[in-house]
Amino acid sequence: MKRILSRRQLQYTVGGLADHIRADYAGKRPVLIGILKGSFIFLADLARELNMPLEIDFVTVSSYGQGQVSKGEVTLIQDVTADIRDRHVLLVEDIVDSGLTLAWLRRHILGRSPASLAVCALLARESIVTARPDVVDYLGRAIPDGFVVGYGIDYGEDYRYLPDIWVLEEE
Ligand code: PRP
């Protein structure tokens, strides 16, 4: 495995995202919706860096199952519990890979008539950012292809606990 982001770099990246979000949402009390499971560490750090009035909720979806390749369909495992009608919603995603999860969730959330909807992602593929720069409103880092793990992101439910972010290298 090769380390691509140290905890220091992650702290700096999350702090920068929080500064932008805090300025944009001043006086608004947004609802942050973490996309589980992968976003659990990122959301915890982001909320503390934001240090402003906000609410937290979660939605659990899955598109990868146990493997490295997306199944191509998004399965809703647990829905949002907050009433988000007329609220300012910020979806918090760990990594935008194909963009399928986000596209599905965007439709799902917009169906609940929020006052606004924006997306914050810690990581996104360079290819997605180039092709569709508006997919993520607040982006931590654009990264090349390669299966990443750590800081909440798994491979077959392993490695989520790692404090840094690594790329799995082919055997
Ligand atoms: C991973 C990751 C993102 C999504 C990104 O979740 O955490 O949510 O895939 O991929 P996409 O852009 O191609 O849709 P996964 O479905 O593996 O569930 P998990 O968060 O529980 O690991």
Side-chain angles (χ1 to χ4, degrees):
M1 297 210 296
K2 184 176 149 207
R3 179 160 49 195
I4 58 164
L5 283 170
S6 68
R7 43 202 114 170
R8 262 182 87 96
Q9 289 171 311
L10 285 163
Q11 193 179 18
Y12 178 81
T13 300
V14 175
L17 287 169
D19 288 344
H20 282 114
I21 294 166
R22 196 184 312 104
D24 289 354
Y25 287 84
K28 282 189 175 159
R29 203 167 193 273
V31 184
L32 271 57
I33 300 181
I35 305 174
L36 293 177
K37 301 177 197 170
S39 75
F40 79 105
I41 294 179
F42 176 41
L43 179 64
D45 283 349
L46 182 66
R48 284 177 287 188
E49 288 288 339
L50 280 168
N51 193 18
M52 67 179 283
L54 53 80
E55 289 179 39
I56 304 271
D57 204 349
F58 296 98
V59 63
T60 308
V61 292
S62 185
S63 64
Y64 279 77
Q66 296 297 307
Q68 283 193 18
V69 179
S70 172
K71 294 195 305 259
E73 62 190 52
V74 176
T75 307
L76 179 65
I77 295 171
Q78 180 159 316
D79 206 347
V80 173
T81 58
D83 181 5
I84 54 171
R85 173 177 291 273
D86 298 330
R87 300 297 305 275
H88 294 287
V89 172
L90 183 63
L91 271 173
V92 178
E93 175 68 295
D94 46 302
I95 179 168
V96 182
D97 192 7
S98 68
L100 189 75
T101 302
L102 261 190
W104 190 93
L105 274 173
R106 200 182 272 279
R107 280 196 304 276
H108 183 68
I109 299 290
L110 286 175
R112 304 274 172 91
S113 307
S116 68
L117 174 60
V119 172
C120 174
L122 178 64
L123 306 172
R125 295 297 178 195
E126 286 164 352
S127 50
I128 291 263
V129 178
T130 306
R132 296 152 58 197
D134 54 343
V135 159
V136 177
D137 302 279
Y138 303 95
L139 176 62
R141 298 278 182 119
I143 57 164
D145 286 346
F147 206 92
V148 295
V149 296
Y151 199 68
I153 304 170
D154 76 311
Y155 172 59
E157 292 302 325
D158 205 355
Y159 305 120
R160 291 195 201 273
Y161 55 86
L162 293 173
D164 306 326
I165 292 187
W166 302 73
V167 170
L168 286 181
E169 290 169 316
E170 289 176 25
E171 302 285 295

